[in-house]
Amino acid sequence: MTNNADVHGEHQRQRLRRNRLAQLESGEERLRRMALLQSQAMQLLQSSPDGMLHFKQRNYRSRQARLVDGIYQPVSPDRPVWRP
């Protein structure tokens, strides 16, 4: 049986390995990989109408903002206040 420390340690080792591999890639390779991952994610979302609907609702909800005294304040706590 694995304990929490074992799982955490393995996660750390995998993260460090991925970081080392990413550092070996050029900027163009990283951008190409990111574009591929985004394309695959969008294909997966588009294959599920319910999944795409949920994604759009969550995305729009997280981007909501209100204008208070000339300053846009996000409704979502995950987004910083934007000052013009």
Side-chain angles (χ1 to χ4, degrees):
M1 182 173 182
T2 60
N3 62 26
N4 212 11
D6 291 340
V7 171
H8 180 71
E10 181 60 27
H11 176 73
Q12 287 293 97
R13 283 188 290 280
Q14 288 178 359
R15 186 179 59 79
L16 290 172
R17 181 176 180 275
R18 282 192 306 267
N19 286 348
R20 280 193 303 271
L21 291 174
Q23 289 174 352
L24 296 175
E25 291 180 328
S26 70
E28 288 181 7
E29 289 171 329
R30 286 193 300 271
L31 287 173
R32 196 175 306 118
R33 184 169 43 88
M34 180 56 70
L36 177 64
L37 289 172
Q38 287 179 338
S39 173
Q40 290 172 344
M42 191 52 67
Q43 288 175 1
L44 183 62
L45 274 174
Q46 290 173 344
S47 70
S48 168
D50 289 340
M52 182 58 102
L53 177 64
H54 183 261
F55 168 76
K56 286 181 178 179
Q57 289 173 340
R58 186 185 46 171
N59 192 24
Y60 293 148
R61 191 171 43 247
S62 75
R63 293 176 183 272
Q64 288 179 344
R66 60 179 172 251
L67 186 62
V68 178
D69 297 328
I71 298 172
Y72 284 102
Q73 296 181 345
V75 174
S76 171
D78 298 332
R79 299 201 178 258
V81 173
W82 183 80
R83 296 181 189 276

